[in-house]
Amino acid sequence: MSNPVFFTPAGALDTAVPGSLFVLDGAEARHAVTVKRLAVGEQVDIADGAGRRITGTVTEAAPAELTVECASVTTEQRPDVRLVLVQALAKGDRDELAIETATELGIDAVIPWQSERSIVRWKGDRATKAHGKWQSAVTAAAKQARRAWIPEVRPAVDTQALAKQVAEAGLAVILHEDAVTPLRRVLGNWAGERQEAAAPSEILLIVGPEGGISPREVTRLCSAGAVTALLGPHVLRSSTAGPAGVVVASDVLGRW
């Protein structure tokens, strides 16, 4: 069984070396000691959310501090092709479910999209609170999946702003029920044309809300460079399409 993972701020593990002691404090330490009940002698991983991870043994478990003797230090590099889920805001926390599952499956970043047909609206203080909730959701999911990287939740965008990001992406794919070309073929063709020594790039997987993406939005995003792709023969919920796309992309791109 893999070790439980707890997060510390980025950079906190930069000086960690085998044999050194690292003290985890704050909310993560309280969770480790009071909820998970980690005890002296147990194995644990501490990650900084930016790829660096130490594995070690608990030497002290105080109520607000967990002391770990470092046995090994590893740094996980970010993949050259990064997967970004553009998730339209959806009702009933379906959008949150989508980003949680996508995080467990390996998504690298998430973009909240205020699409035309999104019933949920992020405005003012609610936008700040909702963004924080999404970041907490992906952090918890990354911990569950024992990841060393916590996906970034980028600022929310409307369709106009999304079109600009589509134009800058290596590939932008709209997951659409009316598409003709399967997602696997779209990704495979792109990967086959990409040079191995090419600079890191991003693939945007764009998912609409429960009412679907409007024809006007599809036209606008495709004009900016996006392509449509079909996931399969069935119509998927907004909470399912993104994670399903991550699975296909991870397989085609050799991430799994």
Side-chain angles (χ1 to χ4, degrees):
M1 184 176 179
S2 59
N3 297 333
V5 172
F6 298 93
F7 287 119
T8 191
L13 301 177
D14 288 354
T15 59
V17 295
S20 65
L21 295 179
F22 179 80
V23 179
L24 179 71
D25 56 15
E28 285 289 88
R30 287 191 292 274
H31 185 241
V33 176
T34 64
V35 178
K36 293 296 186 180
R37 298 187 180 278
L38 290 185
V40 172
E42 293 191 82
Q43 299 294 301
V44 67
D45 285 5
I46 308 296
D48 69 354
R52 195 166 178 84
R53 179 199 304 260
I54 67 170
T55 296
T57 304
V58 176
T59 60
E60 185 177 350
E65 286 187 349
L66 187 76
T67 303
V68 177
E69 182 178 359
C70 176
S72 64
V73 182
T74 56
T75 300
E76 299 177 16
Q77 300 299 323
R78 297 186 69 183
D80 286 340
V81 179
R82 296 160 192 169
L83 298 177
V84 180
L85 175 59
V86 179
Q87 177 63 51
L89 305 185
K91 64 181 181 180
D93 291 332
R94 292 194 182 280
D95 48 13
E96 191 174 326
L97 176 59
I99 64 171
E100 286 178 343
T101 308
T103 296
E104 293 178 20
L105 294 169
I107 201 74
D108 296 302
V110 173
I111 300 175
W113 175 30
Q114 186 76 68
S115 69
E116 289 182 7
R117 294 178 175 174
S118 290
I119 297 174
V120 175
R121 295 286 160 179
W122 284 14
K123 295 182 179 179
D125 292 341
R126 180 178 183 180
T128 301
K129 183 178 179 180
H131 186 278
K133 187 178 180 181
W134 275 36
Q135 188 65 66
S136 296
V138 299
T139 299
K143 184 187 295 187
Q144 166 67 30
R146 312 293 200 265
R147 293 185 59 174
W149 284 93
I150 299 175
E152 171 193 11
V153 179
R154 297 178 182 171
V157 296
D158 58 14
T159 302
Q160 179 179 356
L162 178 57
K164 294 180 180 179
Q165 297 194 29
V166 164
E168 297 171 354
L171 175 66
V173 184
I174 302 170
L175 304 180
H176 201 284
E177 62 187 85
D178 292 332
V180 175
T181 308
L183 175 61
R184 180 175 294 276
R185 187 184 305 167
V186 171
L187 294 169
N189 290 342
W190 179 84
E193 296 172 357
R194 184 175 184 269
Q195 299 296 321
E196 290 188 6
S201 57
E202 292 188 342
I203 293 178
L204 305 186
L205 298 174
I206 303 172
V207 177
E210 54 270 43
I213 303 175
S214 73
R216 179 169 54 183
E217 288 175 316
V218 172
T219 298
R220 185 167 192 176
L221 295 177
C222 287
S223 295
V227 296
T228 60
L230 185 66
L231 268 173
H234 308 297
V235 178
L236 302 181
R237 291 181 182 272
S238 181
S239 57
T240 310
V246 174
V247 170
V248 174
S250 297
D251 182 37
V252 173
L253 299 174
R255 290 168 56 117
W256 284 10

